[in-house]
Amino acid sequence: MCKRTYPSHLRFFSGARSKMELVINTVEEAIAAPARVGYGELLQDEKVRALEKEKPELWHMLNVLAYSTYADLLPSTSLSNEATMKMQQLTILSMAAKERQIPFDRLLSALKLDTDRAVEDLIIDAMYKGLLKGRLNSMNRCFDVEEWQPRDFPLENLPAVRQLISTYFLAFYACLNNVEHVVSECNKMAAIEENNAFVQNAEEKARKKRIANARKEVEEGMRSVINLPGFLGGMGGGRPHLGMSSTSVQKEKRKILRKINIFK
């Protein structure tokens, strides 16, 4: 973010003998300062406030530099090239505070310029001075604002600014509460999923245990049948072993097959 600086004007008045010429020179130097944005502090100084009667045109220009835009200058106001550029760049800052994409047509009208190139040169100079950050979009004829130095506002606007800040805070806390609610719900869902995963894992372990036990039973059953006297004869259709009928062999075979079905 562009850092705003407030050069102190008090040094101009230290030890001064309240001469209006010194005040006028101080104000003119402040107006000519290329990277200066804030002028509200000058307007609060009693010596500078005397300009309202002593030199109304300079007082008007200082007020415009502090709070207004290029279009607010009196038609009779005479500005140097540097002061004109300053006023135009301050106008861009005011526009940047209201919208993130400023069309060239609006800039041409507000700055009283004739060509896109003049607008681009003015914006580039402002960016070099650290007043603005953004991107010139020549194809779409606009300036995309990223950062800008804030300007002063009149003290009578302070209640409105406070109200605006309060509104932002209320919106922020409402958003924060909503985020906390979403996080809480996500944590609950995560806990449920974790519990379900634990249950599923336990069920999977139990299933594998049942399969292992069944496999063990089948293997033991097969061994017992194989070891029976006359098993080959009963299974193969030949003569059964003495003491073991073919019917018994078939029963053992069906028993094994039933156990094998567990794996299907």
Side-chain angles (χ1 to χ4, degrees):
M1 184 69 186
C2 301
K3 292 184 178 180
R4 184 173 183 178
T5 57
Y6 292 92
S8 175
H9 61 281
L10 298 178
R11 60 189 177 88
F12 293 111
F13 299 132
S14 58
R17 291 173 296 178
S18 301
K19 291 183 177 179
M20 185 52 60
E21 288 184 5
L22 180 60
V23 175
I24 292 172
N25 291 337
T26 299
V27 171
E28 289 177 344
E29 287 182 18
I31 291 173
R36 180 161 185 168
V37 174
Y39 293 92
E41 57 180 348
L42 276 175
L43 292 171
Q44 302 307 314
D45 191 282
E46 293 182 2
K47 300 179 182 65
V48 176
R49 294 178 70 87
L51 290 173
E52 188 173 5
K53 293 181 179 179
E54 298 292 335
K55 202 165 184 180
E57 184 178 333
L58 185 60
W59 172 255
H60 169 72
M61 184 164 61
L62 187 59
N63 273 272
V64 172
L65 282 168
Y67 308 130
S68 302
T69 62
Y70 188 64
D72 297 320
L73 284 170
L74 294 173
S76 60
T77 303
S78 176
L79 294 177
S80 64
N81 292 335
E82 292 78 9
T84 299
M85 177 180 288
K86 165 65 74 65
M87 194 65 250
Q88 289 171 327
Q89 290 174 339
L90 291 175
T91 301
I92 296 174
L93 294 183
S94 295
M95 299 173 74
K98 297 177 181 178
E99 51 188 319
R100 297 297 173 267
Q101 189 177 77
I102 312 174
F104 276 7
D105 288 337
R106 287 197 57 202
L107 288 166
L108 288 169
S109 175
L111 306 176
K112 298 181 181 180
L113 296 174
D114 298 324
T115 64
D116 290 0
R117 181 55 187 271
V119 171
E120 291 174 349
D121 289 344
L122 196 64
I123 292 175
I124 290 171
D125 184 76
M127 289 194 287
Y128 273 117
K129 292 174 180 175
L131 304 179
L132 273 173
K133 284 186 181 180
R135 185 173 65 90
L136 285 166
N137 191 334
S138 299
M139 181 176 294
N140 295 324
R141 299 186 65 248
C142 64
F143 176 63
D144 297 322
V145 181
E146 294 177 4
E147 297 180 12
W148 69 98
Q149 282 205 40
R151 296 186 63 189
D152 292 327
F153 58 87
L155 292 178
E156 54 265 27
N157 291 353
L158 187 58
V161 173
R162 286 175 175 169
Q163 180 61 40
L164 181 62
I165 293 174
S166 298
T167 303
Y168 276 126
F169 268 113
L170 291 174
F172 170 76
Y173 282 120
C175 181
L176 182 61
N177 290 333
N178 185 51
V179 170
E180 289 177 346
H181 174 72
V182 171
V183 170
S184 176
E185 291 299 316
C186 289
N187 288 336
K188 290 179 182 178
M189 293 177 64
I192 293 173
E193 291 293 330
E194 185 178 356
N195 182 64
N196 291 340
F198 176 79
V199 172
Q200 291 176 1
N201 187 41
E203 291 177 350
E204 180 67 16
K205 287 182 178 180
R207 188 181 70 83
K208 289 182 178 179
K209 186 176 180 179
R210 290 196 301 271
I211 291 174
N213 291 336
R215 182 181 290 112
K216 184 177 180 181
E217 291 181 10
V218 170
E219 291 175 352
E220 291 176 351
M222 291 179 67
R223 289 193 189 97
S224 64
V225 172
I226 291 172
N227 292 329
L228 287 173
F231 172 73
L232 293 175
M235 294 291 287
R239 182 182 176 185
H241 189 276
L242 293 176
M244 181 74 177
S245 66
S246 60
T247 302
S248 299
V249 172
Q250 292 301 323
K251 286 182 179 179
E252 291 295 331
K253 178 181 178 181
R254 285 195 296 271
K255 184 178 179 181
I256 293 171
L257 290 175
R258 281 197 300 272
K259 292 183 177 180
I260 291 175
N261 285 335
I262 297 175
F263 300 101
K264 294 182 179 180

